[in-house]
Amino acid sequence: MRAVVVKAFGGPEAVELVETAVPEPGPGQVRIKVAAAALNPVDAAYRAGILVPLPEGGALGLGWDVAGTVDAVGAGAQYAVGTEVVALAYGPAPVKAHADHVVVDGSAVAAAPSSVDAVHAATVPLNTLTAAQALDLLDLAPGSTLLVTGAAGAVGGYAVQLAHRAGITVTGVAGAGDEDLVRSFGADRFVERGATAGGFDAVLDAAVIGADALAHVKDGGDYIGVIPHAGPPSVRGIRVQVVEVAADGNRLAELVKLVDQGVLSPRVADTFPLERAAEAHSRLAEGGVRGRLVLVP
């Protein structure tokens, strides 16, 4: 089968499409025939060597999000062959979701949404789980005030939608041209990027502003970041946390239901075949993408 990997760190030109053996699922694992797999900033970070080292003499696979069909199962796996699913392919591996097939733990899998196609479904796992788990850490009561930076992006957009559903008063920060989009997610207020807004109970920093985002939070409030181990130093008694997304098939199933109920809105910016993966990385690096770029084997 084909798989997208890097064998040396670098820019988009480091991305390679290679031939490799079809992986076999072990106990509790499922193999998914990939229908679509989203490209996320974490893939660019892997490619650039920011997060994990290269295996000695080997390759590092790319792709965290996957939608497809179960085509093989290991002993004890709970999903039947032929089931349409979505999953989070968590962590480093020689082959990940940007491939014709991927093996994941059954605990990372959920039945696919019925209301959207595989391309849109492939944008759901990583970004909805990140947003939901970040809000879990904040544990805000209904009526609390939350500022979401990067509210037009994938994680930020989902965070606005989930927080609005939870009864939190949400202000979204994004570029001026994104106001209608951010308000459509349920934001009560909109703040243009670079403008001053303060006194919030918490900030969810999906745009990775870092220390500057603390200025928006009241004394003793909360900050939650989305880059593991990269939270800014606390000031004014603000509790600083970062979310490290965890594969959680049960929680993913709940989020899939919200997709089918219209609460969460998967967005696709463009699709690319596997052989154009490097081009997709180049497009991501240009910035300004609204919705996810998706690789389609």
Side-chain angles (χ1 to χ4, degrees):
M1 71 166 197
R2 302 168 302 161
V4 176
V5 304
V6 291
K7 297 179 181 178
F9 293 134
E13 72 285 350
V15 174
E16 298 184 42
L17 184 64
V18 301
E19 293 286 334
T20 189
V22 177
E24 295 297 331
Q29 294 182 322
V30 301
R31 187 176 70 206
I32 299 170
K33 181 176 174 57
V34 179
L39 174 65
N40 288 281
V42 66
D43 294 304
Y46 265 38
R47 183 204 73 222
I50 295 172
L51 294 179
V52 294
L54 278 174
E56 187 173 349
L60 184 65
L62 300 176
W64 288 60
D65 279 322
V66 60
T69 305
V70 174
D71 75 342
V73 298
Q78 300 299 308
Y79 287 88
V81 170
T83 305
E84 293 185 2
V85 295
V86 291
L88 181 67
Y90 180 86
V95 173
K96 285 171 60 69
H98 293 168
D100 290 316
H101 299 267
V102 64
V103 168
V104 297
D105 289 338
S107 61
V109 178
S114 60
S115 59
V116 298
D117 61 17
V119 171
H120 285 79
T123 71
V124 170
L126 176 62
N127 295 291
T128 62
L129 283 169
T130 300
Q133 291 170 4
L135 289 169
D136 289 346
L137 287 172
L138 286 176
D139 194 25
L140 296 173
S144 300
T145 58
L146 173 67
L147 185 76
V148 177
T149 70
V155 172
Y158 285 135
V160 172
Q161 291 175 318
L162 289 169
H164 172 75
R165 180 176 183 269
I168 297 164
T169 301
V170 188
T171 298
V173 179
D178 291 316
E179 179 171 359
D180 289 345
L181 175 65
V182 172
R183 288 190 180 277
S184 77
F185 295 152
D188 300 279
R189 291 180 54 208
F190 176 83
V191 174
E192 187 175 345
R193 188 186 303 121
T196 300
F200 293 91
D201 293 319
V203 59
L204 194 159
D205 188 18
V208 196
I209 294 171
D212 289 346
L214 298 178
H216 302 294
V217 184
K218 69 182 185 182
D219 293 355
D222 284 273
Y223 167 99
I224 186 83
V226 297
I227 305 296
H229 316 297
S234 175
V235 296
R236 296 183 289 106
I238 295 170
R239 182 174 62 153
V240 172
Q241 301 181 85
V242 293
V243 62
E244 183 165 359
V245 69
D248 184 341
N250 291 332
R251 188 64 185 281
L252 181 56
E254 295 172 0
L255 295 164
V256 164
K257 289 180 182 177
L258 296 181
V259 172
D260 285 336
Q261 293 168 10
V263 174
L264 297 177
S265 306
R267 293 176 290 147
V268 174
D270 204 353
T271 60
F272 296 81
L274 283 183
E275 57 267 25
R276 291 172 55 201
E279 183 181 337
H281 276 253
S282 293
R283 176 64 190 91
L284 181 64
E286 292 172 4
V289 177
R290 292 293 173 260
R292 282 284 174 247
L293 305 172
V294 180
L295 298 182
V296 182

